[in-house]
Amino acid sequence: MDSAIKIILKHGKEQSVMRLHPWIFSGAIKKIEGLPREGDIAEVFSHDNQYLATGHYQIGSIAIRLFSFQQVTADTAFWRNKIQAAWDLRKELGLTGNADTSVYRLVNGEGDGMPGLIIDYYNGIAVIQTHSVGMYYLRDQITSVLHEIYNHSLVAV
């Protein structure tokens, strides 16, 4: 994936991003610097070149699915922190480590700051759904992180 993709928005189109909306629609884009491929990481800037967010580029009306509103390096540690935060929230809600609950949604896409990713936990099995090419490219990293978070107790199927 290429991290040199820069998306510049039309004047006034940064408002939804500033409200932390996780999508950039294709009609909001003024200019694309670089040659993005579907799934590439892209940084989004306002019309006056102020950094706004980072996400995965995709072809279609939703052009970028944002996963960070701070400049980041989207490496394995970044994704580990995101997934760990989702797990910590489920623990706080009493879903993990609960003898009465063996099924829950660990990652709920945009709700957990990971648009295009759903992870459901079914009594020792984590089922990963990727709804964007960018998340699909990360499937091996996500699997590795899940094994770490669950202390290698997930069942391989």
Side-chain angles (χ1 to χ4, degrees):
M1 286 188 265
D2 186 350
S3 61
I5 304 305
K6 183 175 181 179
I7 306 292
I8 301 169
L9 300 182
K10 295 175 182 174
H11 182 66
K13 295 298 183 179
E14 69 281 349
Q15 294 305 314
S16 65
V17 181
M18 294 173 74
R19 290 189 306 269
L20 307 181
H21 191 281
W23 299 343
I24 301 290
F25 292 97
S26 58
I29 297 173
K30 175 181 177 180
K31 180 179 174 184
I32 298 176
E33 294 182 5
L35 298 171
R37 293 167 299 170
E38 193 158 21
D40 279 350
I41 293 174
E43 290 189 325
V44 179
F45 292 81
S46 64
H47 73 284
D48 59 352
N49 210 35
Q50 299 299 309
Y51 171 83
L52 298 170
T54 301
H56 286 126
Y57 175 82
Q58 64 184 45
I59 297 166
S61 64
I62 301 172
I64 302 148
R65 291 176 183 256
L66 303 174
F67 53 73
S68 182
F69 296 91
Q70 299 174 349
Q71 284 185 299
V72 296
T73 301
D75 56 9
T76 302
F78 172 80
W79 295 108
R80 182 182 301 110
N81 289 338
K82 286 266 206 194
I83 295 170
Q84 182 69 55
W87 190 88
D88 290 345
L89 175 60
R90 275 53 177 191
K91 182 178 180 182
E92 186 178 318
L93 294 171
L95 297 174
T96 64
N98 180 340
D100 295 327
T101 304
S102 61
V103 176
Y104 54 88
R105 178 149 289 172
L106 174 64
V107 173
N108 190 22
E110 287 82 354
D112 286 303
M114 295 176 265
L117 180 64
I118 302 291
I119 303 174
D120 291 317
Y121 178 85
Y122 297 100
N123 196 29
I125 298 171
V127 177
I128 302 169
Q129 297 177 53
T130 58
H131 296 274
S132 72
V133 173
M135 286 300 181
Y136 176 78
Y137 288 155
L138 294 171
R139 67 194 181 282
D140 291 337
Q141 287 181 51
I142 292 165
T143 300
S144 176
V145 167
L146 288 172
H147 282 292
E148 288 177 31
I149 289 173
Y150 285 98
N151 295 315
H152 303 282
S153 66
L154 293 174
V155 176
V157 292

